[in-house]
Amino acid sequence: MYNRILLKLSGEQLQGQYAGGFDHARARWIAEQIKPVVASGTQVVIMVGGGNYVRGAQIAGGGIGDVTAHNAGMLATLINAITLADVFNDDGLATRALSTVEVNQFVDQYTYRRAVSHLEKGRVVVVGCGTGRPFLTTDTAAVNLALEMKCDVVIKATKVDGVYDKDPVKFTDAVKFDQLTYDEVLANPDIGVMDKAAIGLAAEEKKPMIICDLLSDGNIVRAAKGEAVGTRLVV
Ligand code: UDP
């Protein structure tokens, strides 16, 4: 069992059954998946993406500068952080949202000590605004936060149950890897499981990662217990 995990939830996971925006039922389902993790004594830090509202690359151009576009992307992640925290709390899972960018009117600012204090009180911590800096993604922010918060592992919950040698949606003969090294991931252009900056940082700092299917009931708790689920990325 891990002491502390970093769970990366992309915006796509939070839009659930919809084409964009926020799926309350999905959020509640995720809360139910996380409850047994917290009950077992594992602390949970969540980094949320914002692709269900806006990604920087989608709106940059046409008069919108790159930095403004990325800032808008980070604000999208903040929407997810504060709304997800509300649903979790409503569902009985004690949770606090924190933002890496100062927006004190909406939510407390992330500091390491504040996050640890919440975790030690048994609360889930959801972090919005990524790293707070443009030109990065929340995948990279997730690895960065896992390093800062000394999380034992980064769990990236996706819509497939791991990493395949080719797209399992397009190819029926796609083969799933149980384990891959970061060198193998970086050398294979067909594996687009996470952006290269995130993989590079995790490899450099020897932080293991698990890529697994969010929607498979019990996957998160199994991953948090250290059981083999999805694909494990290691040095
Ligand atoms: N972003 C950023 N810096 C960060 C994290 C995110 O500038 O540290 C911006 C970036 O434009 C990104 C957007 O916020 O496209 C939303 O995050 P992301 O694309 O990672 O969301 P996801 O795909 O996980 O839903």
Side-chain angles (χ1 to χ4, degrees), residues 5 33-44 220-222 224:
I5 60 168
Q33 298 296 308
I34 292 173
K35 276 183 188 174
V37 179
V38 176
S40 74
T42 297
Q43 297 177 349
V44 181
I220 303 299
V221 72
R222 280 196 291 276

Side-chain angles (χ1 to χ4, degrees), residues 72-95:
M74 284 185 266
L75 287 171
T77 73
L78 188 61
I79 296 174
N80 282 329
I82 62 176
T83 53
L84 191 66
D86 259 23
V87 176
F88 279 12
N89 282 309
D90 186 68
D91 200 66
L93 178 63
T95 303

Side-chain angles (χ1 to χ4, degrees), residues 8-14 47-59 66-77 80 100 129-142 156 195:
K8 162 69 204 289
L9 293 175
S10 67
E12 191 181 10
Q13 304 299 335
L14 301 179
M47 174 63 68
V48 279
N52 51 328
Y53 293 113
V54 63
R55 289 193 183 91
Q58 287 167 347
I59 58 162
D66 288 346
V67 173
T68 300
H70 286 300
N71 289 346
M74 284 185 266
L75 287 171
T77 73
N80 282 329
T100 54
C129 284
T131 62
R133 310 304 307 168
F135 299 101
L136 294 168
T137 68
T138 51
D139 280 356
T140 306
K156 176 160 172 165
D195 66 78

Side-chain angles (χ1 to χ4, degrees), residues 6 34 42 51 53 67 96 106 141 156 158 164 176 180 183 197:
L6 188 299
I34 292 173
T42 297
Y53 293 113
V67 173
R96 295 292 182 271
F106 295 165
K156 176 160 172 165
T158 66
Y164 287 75
K176 193 187 102 180
L180 281 169
D183 283 346

